[in-house]
Amino acid sequence: MDSPVLELRELHLVPTPGASFKGLGEPAQKRALRFANAKDREEFVAGRLALQRFAAALLDLDPARLVPNYHCPQCGPRQDHGRPGFMLDGGPAPLVLSASRASGWVLLAGVVHPADGLRLGVDLEVVGQAAFEGFDDVALTVNERNFLASTPPRERSSQRARLWARKEAWLKMTGEGLRHNPAELDVLDRPGLRDITGAEIPDGLVAALAIG
C-alpha cells in the first residue's frame, strides 16, 4: 500500500499574501471573508496555503500551477470544503491529500501517484477538548467506553482524544464525515487506521492516520 508523506507545520510560520488571499481559489476566498474572527480567518488561510505548498513540493513544481479543487461527496467539486485536491494543467493533480488544523498547527498528508481508489484521512486533536460530560455516550462505542474504563485515570483524557482523532481521520478518508454516527464506528482495532506518534507531535496534541 502507498505510504503517505506526513508534515506538521506551525500556522503562524506559513507565509500568507495578505488580504488578497491569492492562491486559495474562489470558493475558499469567499469562505475566508465570512470569518468574523481575524485569527480564525488567518489560520484557515494559512492552512490552505500550507497544503497547496506541500502538494507542490511533493510534485516538485511551482505552487501557482495548482488550482484548488475541493470535492464534497454531497455538494460535488469546486467547493470551499470537503476532500482536498488540485487541478494541474487542466486535469487532476496526481495526488491524494488530507489536512487537519488544531491549536495553531496543521498536519498534512499526501500520496503521489496513488493507486486507483486510494483514500486518505488525517486528524489532529487537542487533548482534553473531548473531555466534557456526555461525550463518551454520543461519540464512543460500548467497546471503546469499556476500554477507557480499563485505562488508568491519568491516561483517559489522552486516550479519549486518540479515539476521537481516529474517528475523524477515518470519516475524512471515507468522505462520510459526521453524517456517520461516531458512536457506531469502533476504531480500537480497525485495519488501515493508526495513531501518529513521535517527537513531531507537540505535547497536548494527538493525531491519527487512515488509509485504504
Side-chain angles (χ1 to χ4, degrees), residues 59 65-69 85-95:
L59 295 172
R65 293 180 60 192
L66 295 176
V67 179
N69 183 28
F86 294 92
M87 302 296 287
L88 173 64
D89 299 334
L95 290 169

Side-chain angles (χ1 to χ4, degrees), residues 144-156:
E144 291 164 346
R145 296 200 298 270
N146 289 338
F147 164 75
L148 275 184
S150 71
T151 62
R154 67 181 180 279
E155 297 178 10
R156 287 177 190 165

Side-chain angles (χ1 to χ4, degrees), residues 119 121-123 165-177 180 185 187 190-193 209-212:
R119 301 174 301 172
V122 290
D123 192 59
R166 292 178 199 173
K167 289 175 189 277
E168 286 274 20
W170 185 266
L171 294 174
K172 284 183 181 180
M173 183 196 75
T174 64
E176 297 170 281
H180 183 118
L185 174 67
V187 293
R190 183 171 287 265
L193 184 60
L209 166 72
I211 186 167

Side-chain angles (χ1 to χ4, degrees), residues 90-113:
L95 290 169
V96 171
L97 298 162
S98 187
S100 180
R101 290 184 290 119
S103 193
W105 295 84
V106 61
L107 176 64
L108 309 167
V111 175
V112 183
H113 299 296

Side-chain angles (χ1 to χ4, degrees), residues 3 11 32 52 65 71 104 107 129 135 153 168 212:
S3 296
L11 290 167
Q52 186 172 16
R65 293 180 60 192
H71 186 280
L107 176 64
Q129 192 162 306
F135 175 85
E168 286 274 20

